[in-house]
Structures are given as C-alpha cells and as structure tokens.
Amino acid sequence: MTSQAADGPEPVTATRRSKLTPQREQEFFDAVLEQIRECGYEAVTMEGVAASTRCSKSTLYRQWKTKPQFVVAALRSRRTARLAGIDTGSLADDLREAARATGRWSTNDTKLLQALGHAVTGDEDLARALREALIDPEIEALREILRRGVERGEVRAGHPALEYVPAQMFGVIRARPVVDGQYADQDYLVRFVEAAVLPALGLVHDPPQTQAAVHGMTGR
Amino acid sequence: MTSQAADGPEPVTATRRSKLTPQREQEFFDAVLEQIRECGYEAVTMEGVAASTRCSKSTLYRQWKTKPQFVVAALRSRRTARLAGIDTGSLADDLREAARATGRWSTNDTKLLQALGHAVTGDEDLARALREALIDPEIEALREILRRGVERGEVRAGHPALEYVPAQMFGVIRARPVVDGQYADQDYLVRFVEAAVLPALGLVHDPPQTQAAVHGMTGR
DNA sequence: CGCCATCGATACGATGTCGTACCGATACGC
DNA sequence: GCGTATCGGTACGACATCGTATCGATGGCG
C-alpha cells in the first residue's frame, strides 16, 4: 500500500526477469509468509505480495491457482526440523538445548502460527501444511529426545509428565505473549525448562550438581 | 447462508420487537461471539449476525458504530472471572479445582482466543477487551491461588515454578489442539496439573517410583 | 539471430462487505 | 386511542479483493 512506485512508464529498476528461478520463488514465499505474520492470513492479498516482490499478480496466479494453494506452497518450502539432531547424551541438557533452539525461531513462528491458527480450521490442506511445516517435526523431535531419556533410564517409562512436555513447550510459546506481553525467547524458555519441565520429570536441578553426577555429564 | 427463512409474510416468531432489552442485546453478543468462533473475526459480518438473530443490520449499526466496537462490546459483556472464588484451603486442591473450572469453558474460550488472536494485534481496543474479558481475570485468580499457597507455606516464596503456572495453564489449553488434535477438557487439564504443575511446585502426592529414577540413576 | 514462452503491467467483471439512507410497521408513553 | 421513537427490511454507493484476460517487452533456446 505504501509503494507508490510508478509515475510514468519508467523502466527504472523494472528489470524484466525471465523464467522463475527457485530463488525467485523463495522470495515470493518469504514475502507471503511475512505478510501473513504482519497482517494475518485473511488480510494477505496477492497484490500485496506482488508489490512487495515486484512481480505481477499474473505471475503468482500462473504458478499457483489460488491464494490458499500459494500459501500452502510457501509453508511447504519452510519445512525444517529445527529440533532435530539434538543429542547431548543427557535428557536435561537435550531439553535445555531444545529450549534454546526453540527460542531462536519462536518469535517468527509464533506469529505465523497465530496468524494461521484460525484459518486452518476451514482449510484442510492449509492445516496439514502448517502441521507438517511447523508442528509435527518439532513434536516428533521432542518425543525422540524424551524417548532417548527413557532408554537411558533418566526417566522411567510411562512417567506421567512425559506426555505433556510437547504441549508445554508449544504452550508457553503461545501463552507468554498474552500472559506477559512479550514473545518467549531463548532465556525464558530455558528458565521455564529448568523451573517447570525438568522438576516435573524428576530431573530437579535445585541441588545444582546432583544432576551432573547422575550420568557423568557429557553436555557440549 | 443457510437460513432461507422467509416464504411469505409470516408472523410466526417474527415478533416485531420494541426497544432493545438487555436480554436482546445479549443475544446479539452471543451471536457475534459464536460467529467469531466459527468463522473467525475477519469473516464475521454484521449481516450474518443480523440474520442469525433476526434483527436488521440497521439495529446493530444504531447501537454500535462499527464492527470492532460491536465486538468489543460483546467481549465486555462476557467478563466473568471463572476461577474466582476457588479456595479449598489446599494449594493442590485449588489448582485441581482451577483445572476443572477451566476445562468447563476452555473449548469455547479457546476458540474465541484463537479466532481473535491475530485480530487484536491491529486493534488496541479489541486487544484490551479480550484481555479484560478472558485473560486477566483468570491469570489474577490463578496468582491469588498461588499467593495463598505461599502464605500457607505450601510452597516457598520465590519458588521458580510459580512464575510459570499461569502460562502453563493457558499454554496447554492452546497447544493441545495442535499437538493432540482435540481441545483440552477437564480430564486432560486435571491430569496435566497432577502430572506436571504440582510436581514442579514440589507438591507431589504420588511418589511411586519416580524418586528411584531420579536418584537411582539406573531406572527401569 | 529470430522465434516464442514467460515475464510484468494493467484493465476488467464478479463478488462481498462496510456503513448509510430510507421505508413501512409496530410497540410503548401519554 | 394517538403520536413518536425504534424496530426490521432493503436498497444503495463506496470500496477492496479475487481471479481472468489482454498486451507489450524481453530473455533464452534453437
């Protein structure tokens, strides 16, 4: 809405581009996700995306039939398991590291989740894409972390708190903005894990070094 | 969209009403909140609300200048501290009772929070109304419960987990739908309190073999 | 070096919503 | 009983967005 570009038929930076490169597509995806974060799903317009990427509406509609399909494609481009690969050898350290990793992207992705949260209730494809892009991989990675902790005997299998760890992590991320008025960052999430998650799992850190003694400490 | 009511000048229930009664206003409020839950804030239309309550758009615009103001009024009508008044004399029981009370309305209010969650980022009045209607009273009630527990000495003041209890409660309510695919009901919330919140506060009441896993290092 | 696919720009019709204006009908106060 | 304020109904203009169509320009492939 702000880009009042044209005052005449000026070929200024209007570099005519040829066939879309994957990088160019990614620009579209980044732009639409950013617009979703800022304006919400409903308020996103193809025209706005076109303007912010200096392409034309036609180009977008040529590649993707409709706005929902475009957004779905954008979400798919974003699939990354950010919690995958965490394996310090200690459940407590894994969870701390997961908190740190989560804090790195939580602001951006919280906005996205928030903005799409209701739209997905009416669009099954969108819902699936959102789950596959932002939610399922992280939940699965968390469960894997917990599973390894159980295998190592750090927590007994079937410990009642195990079931709630993923919901807790996702939960505070979404709840903190409304409770405290700010997004959950790395610091907050690590403190939360220390103060609530680990104690609930019986991995108390109150006596600071008791923990390390348990398993010989291999963290980082 | 579905209500194809009229086939003629039917005086059936089309009772022409006179001045709006408070009950009538409440019908409007209930209707718009229900529409928000189902369709999202953006998709709510004054015409839809008018149709579902069989009033006319004029009537709505007569009372409230604009859609946001109408929604704000509807939210204000809903102010109720549902967790207020809980006081069993025991922190653990208070929290269990809070979980039960929360579970009673969480589905409805989760939908509302979800549907309005992004809209509030662009409307300060709406944001304040939402906080005052659904969020702040419950957070304050929870903090009051915790405060009494501290006063009774059940938890030491400054216990690190205290800070996170409200965010945890609100969090799992919002996260369960995406993690487990269903809303958090009474049963889930009570189990969550038992399994995660109470242990984190050091109020465990069932230490079966959890302790063995903690200190015994080779659990299972 | 020339053709053709694809780009970017823009115009367009269809649709839907906002918020206003006007209307007749009806309940309530006097 | 009558007058008036308010209701319910609908028509209206303004506006925004969707998705399509058309057109000139251009880059890449043969």
Side-chain angles (χ1 to χ4, degrees):
Chain A
M1 55 167 73
T2 69
S3 66
Q4 177 69 339
D7 40 303
E10 38 168 292
V12 188
T13 327
T15 53
R16 293 296 192 281
R17 296 168 210 261
S18 180
K19 204 162 185 172
L20 295 186
T21 65
Q23 290 84 349
R24 183 73 170 136
E25 281 198 352
Q26 193 59 50
E27 286 178 35
F28 299 155
F29 293 155
D30 291 343
V32 70
L33 294 183
E34 187 54 32
Q35 275 210 12
I36 289 173
R37 274 186 280 263
E38 288 180 359
C39 317
Y41 175 77
E42 309 283 349
V44 163
T45 69
M46 299 298 256
E47 229 165 297
V49 175
S52 75
T53 56
R54 278 193 281 184
C55 79
S56 94
K57 239 188 349 166
S58 328
T59 302
L60 298 180
Y61 278 110
R62 254 176 233 127
Q63 310 294 326
W64 304 277
K65 308 283 186 192
T66 172
K67 182 169 94 166
Q69 289 179 29
F70 179 39
V71 174
V72 166
L75 284 173
R76 285 200 214 285
S77 83
R78 188 149 238 277
R79 296 178 63 163
T80 55
R82 322 198 193 216
L83 298 186
I86 293 175
D87 188 1
T88 65
S90 144
L91 177 52
D93 282 335
D94 276 1
L95 289 174
R96 290 187 190 101
E97 185 53 34
R100 269 186 290 270
T102 301
R104 250 174 253 130
W105 48 266
S106 59
T107 298
N108 249 9
D109 286 4
T110 301
K111 287 182 187 172
L112 204 49
L113 209 54
Q114 178 63 51
L116 289 172
H118 186 269
V120 300
T121 65
D123 186 327
E124 189 50 47
D125 292 337
L126 195 60
R128 188 168 39 242
L130 183 61
R131 289 189 57 92
E132 292 175 355
L134 295 186
I135 299 170
D136 288 345
E138 314 310 335
I139 290 177
E140 199 38 58
L142 267 181
R143 290 196 174 133
E144 172 61 25
I145 285 173
L146 295 170
R147 187 158 45 235
R148 282 200 308 268
V150 170
E151 275 171 15
R152 283 189 299 255
E154 298 181 70
V155 176
R156 76 172 161 84
H159 189 294
L162 282 172
E163 173 190 353
Y164 301 97
V165 172
Q168 275 182 291
M169 291 294 294
F170 267 81
V172 295
I173 290 175
R174 310 217 40 197
R176 207 217 179 180
V178 300
V179 173
D180 292 339
Q182 54 186 304
Y183 289 101
D185 54 12
Q186 284 191 356
D187 190 52
Y188 177 86
L189 289 172
V190 172
R191 284 188 290 120
F192 170 69
V193 165
E194 299 274 2
V197 178
L198 299 186
L201 288 169
L203 299 169
V204 270
H205 83 305
D206 252 348
Q209 263 58 358
T210 309
Q211 190 57 21
V214 171
H215 233 283
M217 191 67 253
T218 44
R220 19 247 267 96
Chain B
M1 52 170 77
T2 69
S3 66
Q4 177 69 344
D7 39 301
E10 34 165 294
V12 188
T13 326
T15 53
R16 292 295 192 283
R17 297 165 208 263
S18 181
K19 205 160 184 173
L20 296 186
T21 65
Q23 290 84 348
R24 184 73 171 136
E25 281 198 352
Q26 193 58 50
E27 285 178 36
F28 299 155
F29 293 155
D30 291 344
V32 71
L33 294 183
E34 186 53 32
Q35 276 210 11
I36 289 173
R37 274 187 279 263
E38 289 180 359
C39 317
Y41 175 77
E42 308 284 349
V44 163
T45 68
M46 299 299 256
E47 229 165 297
V49 175
S52 75
T53 55
R54 278 193 278 185
C55 78
S56 95
K57 236 183 357 164
S58 327
T59 301
L60 298 180
Y61 278 111
R62 253 177 233 126
Q63 310 294 326
W64 304 278
K65 308 283 188 194
T66 174
K67 181 169 95 166
Q69 289 180 29
F70 178 39
V71 174
V72 165
L75 284 173
R76 284 199 214 286
S77 82
R78 189 150 238 278
R79 294 179 63 164
T80 55
R82 323 198 192 215
L83 298 186
I86 292 176
D87 189 359
T88 66
S90 145
L91 177 52
D93 283 337
D94 276 2
L95 289 173
R96 290 187 190 100
E97 185 53 34
R100 267 186 290 272
T102 301
R104 249 174 254 131
W105 48 268
S106 60
T107 298
N108 249 10
D109 285 4
T110 302
K111 288 182 187 172
L112 204 49
L113 209 54
Q114 177 63 51
L116 289 172
H118 187 270
V120 301
T121 65
D123 185 329
E124 188 51 46
D125 291 337
L126 196 58
R128 187 168 41 240
L130 183 61
R131 289 189 58 92
E132 292 175 354
L134 295 185
I135 298 170
D136 288 346
E138 314 309 333
I139 290 178
E140 200 36 59
L142 267 180
R143 289 195 174 136
E144 173 60 26
I145 285 172
L146 296 170
R147 186 159 46 234
R148 283 199 308 267
V150 170
E151 276 173 14
R152 284 190 298 257
E154 298 181 68
V155 176
R156 74 174 161 82
H159 189 295
L162 282 172
E163 173 189 352
Y164 301 96
V165 173
Q168 276 180 291
M169 291 294 293
F170 267 81
V172 295
I173 289 175
R174 310 217 40 197
R176 223 277 259 211
V178 300
V179 174
D180 292 340
Q182 54 186 304
Y183 288 102
D185 54 12
Q186 283 192 356
D187 190 51
Y188 177 86
L189 288 172
V190 172
R191 284 188 288 121
F192 169 69
V193 165
E194 299 275 1
V197 178
L198 299 185
L201 288 169
L203 297 171
V204 268
H205 80 309
D206 67 331
Q209 38 288 68
T210 307
Q211 293 308 316
V214 175
H215 298 296
M217 85 184 261
T218 47
R220 132 220 299 281

